[in-house]
Amino acid sequence: MTHDELIEQAARLFKVLGNSLRIHILFYLRKHGESTVSSIVDHLGASQPVISKQLSILRKYDFVQKRKEGNFVYYSINDQDIVQIIDAMTEHLDHLA
């Protein structure tokens, strides 16, 4: 992969992470592990369609994966590198506070 291609991929990564609701979802999944859409909705207070749309975007970029069991859809973090980014962000923000 060329340097320019790496830069473009980094820009896409930060664009996905540029939405506060998606970051909330990732922080929630990081803390609570695999969760249903309804539990994410209850915790974040956003509507189900809004949460589902954001989960769809996170899934499109392989940040999360989904698993269906009966009537429930479960989401979890799919990319352990994202966990490291979330941890680094948390640590950085703690230092700023």
Side-chain angles (χ1 to χ4, degrees):
M1 184 174 299
T2 69
H3 179 73
D4 288 343
E5 290 170 333
L6 286 172
I7 297 296
E8 287 300 315
Q9 280 193 327
R12 280 192 293 276
L13 171 87
F14 284 112
K15 185 176 180 180
V16 173
L17 293 176
N19 177 283
S20 62
L21 186 52
R22 288 194 287 267
I23 293 174
H24 275 291
I25 292 168
L26 290 169
F27 270 70
Y28 179 82
L29 292 173
R30 170 71 171 109
K31 182 176 180 182
H32 298 280
E34 184 179 63
S35 301
T36 62
V37 174
S38 61
S39 67
I40 298 168
V41 166
D42 291 344
H43 181 77
L44 298 180
S47 69
Q48 186 273 325
V50 169
I51 294 292
S52 291
K53 179 180 179 181
Q54 299 310 316
L55 284 165
S56 175
I57 291 167
L58 290 169
R59 203 167 137 253
K60 176 181 176 183
Y61 291 95
D62 293 324
F63 286 34
V64 299
Q65 61 187 355
K66 77 176 185 177
R67 174 180 70 84
K68 188 167 174 139
E69 186 175 305
N71 292 331
F72 296 97
V73 177
Y74 293 86
Y75 283 86
S76 60
I77 293 178
N78 186 45
D79 184 343
Q80 290 308 305
D81 290 338
I82 294 304
V83 171
Q84 291 177 346
I85 291 170
I86 291 168
D87 291 346
M89 276 194 306
T90 302
E91 186 176 321
H92 177 72
L93 294 172
D94 284 344
H95 282 68
L96 295 176

